[in-house]
Tab-separated table of all heavy atoms in Angstrom:
chain	number	residue	atom	x	y	z
A	135	LYS	N	38.624	-71.158	12.124
A	135	LYS	CA	39.720	-70.358	11.644
A	135	LYS	C	39.449	-68.875	11.564
A	135	LYS	O	40.194	-67.984	11.713
A	135	LYS	CB	40.334	-70.841	10.368
A	135	LYS	CG	41.006	-72.254	10.623
A	135	LYS	CD	41.780	-72.670	9.380
A	135	LYS	CE	42.177	-74.106	9.549
A	135	LYS	NZ	43.378	-74.438	9.512
A	136	GLY	N	38.099	-68.564	11.211
A	136	GLY	CA	37.762	-67.298	11.044
A	136	GLY	C	37.268	-66.599	12.372
A	136	GLY	O	37.262	-65.390	12.485
A	137	LEU	N	36.991	-67.446	13.316
A	137	LEU	CA	36.640	-66.819	14.665
A	137	LEU	C	37.590	-66.413	15.576
A	137	LEU	O	37.404	-65.335	16.217
A	137	LEU	CB	35.814	-68.001	15.391
A	137	LEU	CG	34.445	-68.402	14.746
A	137	LEU	CD1	33.786	-69.528	15.486
A	137	LEU	CD2	33.538	-67.244	14.594
A	138	ASP	N	38.784	-67.015	15.550
A	138	ASP	CA	39.864	-66.591	16.399
A	138	ASP	C	40.262	-65.099	16.057
A	138	ASP	O	40.370	-64.342	17.099
A	138	ASP	CB	41.023	-67.465	16.312
A	138	ASP	CG	40.894	-68.704	17.146
A	138	ASP	OD1	40.008	-68.772	18.017
A	138	ASP	OD2	41.685	-69.679	17.043
A	139	PRO	N	40.458	-64.664	14.879
A	139	PRO	CA	40.811	-63.248	14.656
A	139	PRO	C	39.703	-62.342	15.020
A	139	PRO	O	39.876	-61.309	15.577
A	139	PRO	CB	41.083	-63.205	13.129
A	139	PRO	CG	41.246	-64.664	12.682
A	139	PRO	CD	40.607	-65.459	13.631
A	140	LEU	N	38.489	-62.814	14.719
A	140	LEU	CA	37.393	-61.963	15.156
A	140	LEU	C	37.262	-61.780	16.689
A	140	LEU	O	37.103	-60.544	17.185
A	140	LEU	CB	35.995	-62.639	14.647
A	140	LEU	CG	34.653	-62.071	15.237
A	140	LEU	CD1	34.570	-60.659	14.649
A	140	LEU	CD2	33.561	-62.976	14.870
A	141	ILE	N	37.418	-62.837	17.441
A	141	ILE	CA	37.440	-62.722	18.960
A	141	ILE	C	38.510	-61.871	19.442
A	141	ILE	O	38.294	-61.105	20.284
A	141	ILE	CB	37.326	-64.223	19.494
A	141	ILE	CG1	36.015	-64.877	19.107
A	141	ILE	CG2	37.558	-64.021	21.023
A	141	ILE	CD1	35.968	-66.348	19.566
A	142	LYS	N	39.613	-62.046	18.769
A	142	LYS	CA	40.786	-61.191	19.202
A	142	LYS	C	40.554	-59.710	18.972
A	142	LYS	O	40.923	-58.956	19.781
A	142	LYS	CB	42.009	-61.730	18.545
A	142	LYS	CG	43.320	-61.200	19.191
A	142	LYS	CD	44.539	-61.978	18.725
A	142	LYS	CE	45.595	-61.602	19.539
A	142	LYS	NZ	46.723	-62.438	19.739
A	143	ARG	N	39.958	-59.469	17.696
A	143	ARG	CA	39.740	-58.030	17.477
A	143	ARG	C	38.643	-57.419	18.471
A	143	ARG	O	38.828	-56.186	18.851
A	143	ARG	CB	39.201	-57.924	16.023
A	143	ARG	CG	40.228	-57.795	14.955
A	143	ARG	CD	39.879	-57.615	13.553
A	143	ARG	NE	38.471	-57.279	13.333
A	143	ARG	CZ	37.908	-57.519	12.192
A	143	ARG	NH1	38.517	-58.128	11.197
A	143	ARG	NH2	36.605	-57.168	11.919
A	144	VAL	N	37.626	-58.257	18.782
A	144	VAL	CA	36.472	-57.714	19.617
A	144	VAL	C	36.961	-57.621	21.032
A	144	VAL	O	36.744	-56.620	21.706
A	144	VAL	CB	35.242	-58.567	19.328
A	144	VAL	CG1	34.268	-58.159	20.513
A	144	VAL	CG2	34.747	-58.532	18.061
A	145	HIS	N	37.595	-58.756	21.491
A	145	HIS	CA	37.857	-58.813	23.025
A	145	HIS	C	39.350	-58.537	23.392
A	145	HIS	O	39.692	-58.324	24.484
A	145	HIS	CB	37.450	-60.142	23.548
A	145	HIS	CG	36.087	-60.387	23.479
A	145	HIS	ND1	35.138	-59.835	24.366
A	145	HIS	CD2	35.362	-61.178	22.739
A	145	HIS	CE1	33.885	-60.240	24.194
A	145	HIS	NE2	34.009	-61.136	23.116
A	146	GLY	N	40.256	-58.453	22.312
A	146	GLY	CA	41.643	-58.220	22.663
A	146	GLY	C	42.446	-59.496	22.966
A	146	GLY	O	43.567	-59.459	23.085
A	147	SER	N	41.804	-60.563	23.228
A	147	SER	CA	42.411	-61.846	23.523
A	147	SER	C	41.408	-63.008	23.282
A	147	SER	O	40.247	-62.705	23.044
A	147	SER	CB	42.654	-61.841	25.028
A	147	SER	OG	43.241	-63.093	25.497
A	148	THR	N	42.037	-64.124	23.017
A	148	THR	CA	41.177	-65.277	22.738
A	148	THR	C	41.014	-66.156	24.055
A	148	THR	O	40.464	-67.301	23.966
A	148	THR	CB	41.788	-66.140	21.652
A	148	THR	OG1	43.089	-66.511	21.975
A	148	THR	CG2	41.719	-65.381	20.285
A	149	SER	N	41.640	-65.774	25.109
A	149	SER	CA	41.484	-66.550	26.310
A	149	SER	C	40.855	-65.602	27.484
A	149	SER	O	41.060	-64.418	27.453
A	149	SER	CB	42.780	-67.086	26.913
A	149	SER	OG	43.622	-66.009	27.191
A	150	HIS	N	40.034	-66.236	28.296
A	150	HIS	CA	39.356	-65.481	29.355
A	150	HIS	C	40.375	-65.025	30.372
A	150	HIS	O	41.112	-65.748	31.004
A	150	HIS	CB	38.256	-66.325	29.971
A	150	HIS	CG	37.505	-65.644	31.011
A	150	HIS	ND1	37.828	-65.603	32.364
A	150	HIS	CD2	36.322	-64.925	30.894
A	150	HIS	CE1	36.973	-64.907	33.025
A	150	HIS	NE2	36.009	-64.441	32.216
A	151	VAL	N	40.297	-63.710	30.716
A	151	VAL	CA	41.223	-63.191	31.735
A	151	VAL	C	40.388	-62.363	32.863
A	151	VAL	O	40.980	-61.693	33.666
A	151	VAL	CB	42.220	-62.196	31.141
A	151	VAL	CG1	43.197	-62.960	30.320
A	151	VAL	CG2	41.483	-61.064	30.307
A	152	GLY	N	39.155	-62.669	32.936
A	152	GLY	CA	38.430	-61.997	33.958
A	152	GLY	C	38.311	-62.666	35.334
A	152	GLY	O	39.118	-63.419	35.593
A	153	LYS	N	37.230	-62.360	36.053
A	153	LYS	CA	37.062	-63.048	37.415
A	153	LYS	C	36.826	-64.535	37.279
A	153	LYS	O	36.267	-65.021	36.290
A	153	LYS	CB	35.928	-62.347	38.125
A	153	LYS	CG	36.074	-60.979	38.377
A	153	LYS	CD	34.908	-60.372	39.229
A	153	LYS	CE	35.198	-59.009	39.497
A	153	LYS	NZ	33.956	-58.321	40.232
A	154	ILE	N	37.181	-65.168	38.338
A	154	ILE	CA	37.020	-66.635	38.470
A	154	ILE	C	36.198	-67.051	39.482
A	154	ILE	O	36.247	-66.426	40.584
A	154	ILE	CB	38.444	-67.293	38.758
A	154	ILE	CG1	39.402	-66.970	37.649
A	154	ILE	CG2	38.342	-68.755	38.763
A	154	ILE	CD1	40.837	-67.324	37.941
A	155	PRO	N	35.159	-67.839	39.189
A	155	PRO	CA	34.274	-68.291	40.282
A	155	PRO	C	34.963	-69.026	41.502
A	155	PRO	O	35.871	-69.723	41.241
A	155	PRO	CB	33.229	-69.345	39.515
A	155	PRO	CG	33.537	-69.205	38.093
A	155	PRO	CD	34.787	-68.487	37.911
A	156	LYS	N	34.456	-68.773	42.625
A	156	LYS	CA	35.165	-69.266	43.837
A	156	LYS	C	35.071	-70.807	43.937
A	156	LYS	O	35.953	-71.429	44.307
A	156	LYS	CB	34.653	-68.695	45.102
A	156	LYS	CG	34.991	-67.165	45.230
A	156	LYS	CD	34.553	-66.657	46.543
A	156	LYS	CE	34.867	-65.107	46.522
A	156	LYS	NZ	34.423	-64.474	47.801
A	157	ARG	N	33.988	-71.409	43.382
A	157	ARG	CA	33.838	-72.858	43.467
A	157	ARG	C	34.989	-73.660	42.755
A	157	ARG	O	35.525	-74.551	43.314
A	157	ARG	CB	32.498	-73.339	42.877
A	157	ARG	CG	31.310	-72.870	43.472
A	157	ARG	CD	30.115	-73.501	42.934
A	157	ARG	NE	30.009	-73.446	41.489
A	157	ARG	CZ	29.216	-72.586	40.846
A	157	ARG	NH1	28.251	-71.838	41.472
A	157	ARG	NH2	29.192	-72.542	39.619
A	158	ILE	N	35.328	-73.188	41.556
A	158	ILE	CA	36.309	-73.832	40.793
A	158	ILE	C	37.559	-72.986	40.655
A	158	ILE	O	38.447	-73.366	39.854
A	158	ILE	CB	35.732	-74.316	39.560
A	158	ILE	CG1	35.258	-73.083	38.581
A	158	ILE	CG2	34.668	-75.359	39.595
A	158	ILE	CD1	34.985	-73.504	37.233
Side-chain angles (χ1 to χ4, degrees):
K135 289 188 193 239
L137 293 178
D138 281 346
L140 168 69
I141 293 169
K142 194 163 189 159
R143 275 186 10 209
V144 173
H145 294 287
S147 176
T148 55
S149 61
H150 183 270
V151 292
K153 293 182 179 180
I154 299 172
K156 290 182 180 182
R157 292 190 309 255
I158 59 170

